[in-house]
Amino acid sequence: MSRLRRREFAALAAAGLAAPWAVQAEEPQRAKVLRYAFPIAETGFDPAQIADLYSRTVAAHIFDALYMYDHLARPFLVRPNVAEGMPEVSADFRTWTIRVKPGIYFADDPAFKGQRRELVAADFAYAWKRHFDPATKSPNVAGFEEERVLGVSELRERALKDKKPLDYDAPVEGLRVLDRHTLQFRLEQPRPRFLYTLAQSDLIGAVAREVVEFYGDQIMAHPVGTGPFKLAQWRRSSLIVLERNPGYRSVRYEDVVSPAPDDAEGQALLARFSGRTLPMIDRVEVSIIEVGQPRWLAFLNQQFDLVTVPLEFAGAALPNGKLAPNLAKRGIALHRIVNPDRTLFYFNMEDPVVGGYTPEKVALRRAIALATDVNREINGIRRGQAIPAQSLVAPGTWGYDPQLKLEGGDYDPARAMALLDLYGYVDRDGDGWREQPDGSPLTIEYATQPDDLSRQFDELWKRNLDRIGVRLKVLKGQWPEQLKMARAGQLMIWQLGYSAASPDVQDGLGILYGPASGGQNLARFRNARFDEIYRHMNGLPDGPERQALLRECQLILTALMPMKYKVHRIVNDLTQPWVLGYRRPLYGLQFWQYIDIDAARQPRPR
């Protein structure tokens, strides 16, 4: 073994990659296996309890929603999944009636006691109610409450008031199971984009009540759905293995995709895979590798079939934004998009140092935002693989304006220092660090992770705050644990990214909606006017009135600065030459069933 190979082997072994290879070695010679890695650990796979991207990606391939995003349509198209046709919608967008296709079955599971379990309309009503069950502690309940399904919130309130389990059998006016295969939603207010919610297989895919009751508090480890894959193995924060669901219904590629006529890539994929039954692969193995180097080395050594280029290797992999010649010669393909996302850091609005709505607290947050050198981040840490963000609106979603310029996007340390001086954040004892207006110490606590990339962000944070005389304390921890702390309001500042779950802006607004505090609203931001706009926008059709309200929301957030929006990321995915048909989904999170693997070309474990 050469010196380089020894180093690579050591890095890969340290990341725990031996186990996934051992699993694959047990597979038949011609099994089609997709192997790649998540950079952040999952939390589990119960749709009612998850919120993070990686858990939701797995769940999206296990559970079925009524509708789905067309994998090849751009910018997007929602089509029936397990529904028979598009919904019947009343003229006021308040009544949605959907018929579920008969003859679809859940994956076999001991919870069904040896019987085949057909998918029925009641499974979707049950999945919806689970987000409202106080015992579930769903982080998404506030968002679902804003869909205004009649009677579900009252069902939750009764359970809370009476301190009794949620009565799943109680009739609910807005969730009507009209017959075995027909479901009707009745909404308190118009919801023109309710269809997007009905396409979220990761959060409201059909769930069988028997499974939840059978597994109880272990349900996060036992997802059972009607989707193309089933969970075969899970080692928390290490390895996730999914296998083809042998009971999955017959779905042909050409029946669920419709690329635009001028989409050359999409048309080529349609021509290539027409007639093929989904899923086209047998198995998916996802390792959890938080450090970029071993992920990258595993891909170069052909142990992974797909990789999102780690930022620290973007210069080597993508000189001048083009695939490096040495990679191109190996048949590796580049898939590059501006992701519909935004990175940000939030301020805990209940924190005694950075929270609150008084002028001096607002000034402190705005000063920290003005001191944040986003261009240095893009050109340095991100190696040019991002564009600056001005607001919460992600590219490719409704309301995004590439020409928009807001003060929240400014970098101006001189103005930051002037703000701090004006509101009494000055250095009183001559030690070079500012104190709070009352003379008490001023220390900003920033939560981060213990990896090399995070360390680079930590250094930039320190440089930015040093420049304005503000002391920084870095708190390192694992991401899942920090998520728990964030939901409990125990972090002062945390940096993270949000990918758009749908083509609409409402989800982006939802992470600042007051009633969602402690759930998806990690900032615990509360503003009556913002909440009023959020609710009103939900019922408006897209158009000038809704656009004007969105702009008002953007100005409120710029003025009060509960979050600093930083960048929209450019995502560079690389696939090995034996990976066929890959296309990153913009919405819906699903792509595994649309990939094929040329098993004869894929190297076997050594």
Side-chain angles (χ1 to χ4, degrees):
M1 185 181 292
S2 69
R3 183 177 302 173
L4 176 61
R5 294 284 294 167
R6 287 192 188 99
R7 287 201 300 266
E8 292 173 350
F9 181 83
L12 294 169
L17 284 176
W21 303 341
V23 171
Q24 183 185 339
E26 298 173 1
E27 291 295 305
Q29 182 66 22
R30 292 292 176 177
K32 296 183 176 184
V33 183
L34 174 67
R35 308 158 302 171
Y36 76 116
F38 288 162
I40 293 175
E42 76 298 333
T43 55
F45 313 114
D46 176 20
Q49 298 186 63
I50 59 176
D52 62 286
L53 174 64
Y54 303 100
S55 299
R56 291 175 65 174
T57 298
V58 175
H61 291 88
I62 295 174
F63 298 94
D64 268 317
L66 289 159
Y67 296 91
M68 62 187 292
Y69 287 94
D70 188 304
H71 184 60
L72 297 184
R74 296 294 184 271
F76 72 93
L77 173 68
V78 178
R79 60 164 58 247
N81 183 28
V82 297
E84 278 195 338
M86 299 304 285
E88 297 176 16
V89 186
S90 62
D92 61 1
F93 295 103
R94 292 177 59 184
T95 302
W96 296 67
T97 307
I98 304 113
R99 181 165 174 80
V100 179
K101 293 177 184 176
I104 295 174
Y105 293 88
F106 283 89
D108 290 342
D109 189 84
F112 301 132
K113 298 178 171 54
Q115 302 296 313
R116 292 188 77 193
R117 172 59 156 81
E118 187 184 17
L119 174 69
V120 294
D123 297 320
F124 289 100
Y126 177 71
W128 190 279
K129 290 177 184 177
R130 289 197 68 230
H131 286 276
F132 290 79
D133 188 340
T136 303
K137 298 179 181 179
S138 173
N140 308 298
V141 62
F144 282 107
E145 281 184 327
E146 283 311 305
E147 298 292 356
R148 297 294 194 221
V149 174
L150 289 166
V152 190
S153 293
E154 288 76 8
L155 187 68
R156 173 181 172 84
E157 290 303 316
R158 284 200 300 273
L160 289 169
K161 179 181 178 181
D162 298 340
K163 297 182 180 180
K164 294 181 178 179
L166 188 87
D167 185 358
Y168 283 94
D169 297 315
V172 175
E173 183 180 356
L175 269 178
R176 295 186 173 185
V177 179
L178 302 184
D179 59 43
R180 183 173 176 82
H181 292 103
T182 307
L183 179 69
Q184 185 179 82
F185 291 90
R186 298 184 65 198
L187 312 178
E188 179 184 335
Q189 299 172 353
R191 288 292 180 264
R193 291 160 296 278
F194 190 58
L195 184 63
Y196 301 161
T197 300
L198 299 179
Q200 290 185 297
S201 61
D202 53 330
L203 297 184
I204 55 164
V207 176
R209 183 171 178 175
E210 307 96 288
V211 173
V212 176
E213 294 177 348
F214 184 81
Y215 289 107
D217 59 7
Q218 299 300 309
I219 189 61
M220 285 281 266
H222 295 278
V224 180
T226 59
F229 294 92
K230 64 177 186 176
L231 184 67
Q233 184 180 352
W234 181 31
R235 293 203 303 269
R236 186 180 293 275
S237 302
S238 175
L239 175 68
I240 306 165
V241 179
L242 283 89
E243 293 177 347
R244 177 202 299 267
N245 176 5
Y248 188 58
R249 61 193 177 276
S250 178
V251 178
R252 293 186 306 175
Y253 189 92
E254 68 272 20
D255 293 337
V256 293
V257 298
S258 49
D262 60 351
D263 180 357
E265 179 189 63
Q267 290 292 336
L269 292 172
L270 175 59
R272 179 167 196 166
F273 296 115
S274 285
R276 298 287 300 277
T277 300
L278 304 179
M280 294 188 282
I281 59 175
D282 303 303
R283 187 177 177 97
V284 181
E285 297 174 356
V286 182
S287 300
I288 312 302
I289 306 179
E290 297 181 346
V291 180
Q293 183 190 43
R295 284 202 312 276
W296 179 240
L297 292 176
F299 179 79
L300 293 181
N301 288 331
Q302 300 182 337
Q303 269 84 37
F304 286 160
D305 309 306
L306 164 68
V307 71
T308 299
V309 178
L311 286 177
E312 57 267 46
F313 296 100
L318 305 158
N320 301 314
K322 304 293 184 182
L323 184 64
N326 65 306
L327 299 178
K329 286 178 182 178
R330 294 172 56 174
I332 291 170
L334 169 64
H335 312 264
R336 179 179 173 89
I337 66 167
V338 177
N339 208 39
D341 70 9
R342 56 275 189 212
T343 71
L344 56 90
F345 60 83
Y346 76 83
F347 298 94
N348 180 352
M349 299 295 285
E350 296 177 0
D351 183 85
V353 176
V354 299
Y357 300 87
T358 57
E360 72 276 9
K361 299 298 187 180
V362 173
L364 176 59
R365 293 193 297 270
R366 292 179 68 165
I368 293 172
L370 285 166
T372 301
D373 193 344
V374 170
N375 284 331
R376 182 184 287 270
E377 175 182 320
I378 292 174
N379 296 323
I381 300 172
R382 296 192 180 276
R383 277 74 170 176
Q385 306 307 304
I387 60 175
Q390 295 293 323
S391 82
L392 58 84
V393 188
T397 63
W398 185 87
Y400 179 70
D401 179 1
Q403 306 303 317
L404 179 67
K405 182 69 175 64
L406 295 172
E407 181 187 315
D410 289 352
Y411 169 62
D412 192 338
R415 195 172 2 144
M417 289 189 286
L419 259 179
L420 294 173
D421 291 342
L422 180 63
Y423 284 92
Y425 293 94
V426 296
D427 178 11
R428 291 176 171 80
D429 57 12
D431 66 351
W433 302 110
R434 296 175 184 268
E435 283 80 46
Q436 296 190 59
D438 64 1
S440 60
L442 173 62
T443 300
I444 298 301
E445 295 181 354
Y446 162 68
T448 184
Q449 290 78 53
D451 58 77
D452 289 340
L453 182 61
S454 295
R455 179 182 51 77
Q456 296 178 52
F457 280 105
D458 302 346
E459 292 171 353
L460 183 56
W461 261 89
K462 180 166 173 43
R463 184 182 299 114
N464 290 338
L465 293 191
D466 282 355
R467 187 176 292 116
I468 61 172
V470 174
R471 192 191 306 269
L472 175 69
K473 180 179 180 181
V474 174
L475 304 177
K476 292 184 180 292
Q478 296 300 322
W479 198 92
E481 294 306 313
Q482 288 183 333
L483 179 60
K484 292 179 184 177
M485 293 176 67
R487 287 179 177 161
Q490 296 172 346
L491 299 180
M492 182 187 292
I493 298 175
W494 194 27
Q495 176 171 296
L496 65 169
Y498 286 86
S499 293
S502 83
D504 190 50
V505 70
Q506 205 73 29
D507 288 339
L509 295 170
I511 64 174
L512 286 160
Y513 179 54
S517 295
Q520 59 184 348
N521 180 357
L522 299 179
R524 297 171 174 255
F525 175 68
R526 294 180 182 274
N527 179 270
R529 177 56 181 162
F530 180 92
D531 291 348
E532 178 186 5
I533 294 173
Y534 174 84
R535 291 188 290 265
H536 190 39
M537 282 182 63
N538 234 343
L540 289 175
D542 294 342
E545 182 183 0
R546 194 166 187 252
Q547 183 71 56
L549 290 173
L550 173 60
R551 182 58 52 85
E552 186 178 348
C553 278
Q554 291 169 313
L555 294 176
I556 290 171
L557 299 179
T558 299
L560 297 179
M561 199 59 67
M563 290 180 174
K564 162 67 176 177
Y565 303 99
K566 301 178 73 179
V567 306
H568 307 299
R569 292 169 289 192
I570 296 172
V571 178
N572 299 285
D573 295 325
L574 300 184
T575 52
Q576 301 283 8
W578 49 85
V579 176
L580 312 174
Y582 176 73
R583 196 176 209 183
R584 174 177 279 267
L586 295 179
Y587 311 107
L589 302 177
Q590 293 185 337
F591 67 94
W592 296 344
Q593 65 264 46
Y594 303 104
I595 286 178
D596 194 13
I597 297 288
D598 185 344
R601 298 178 66 191
Q602 184 184 48
R604 293 305 179 190
R606 293 183 292 275

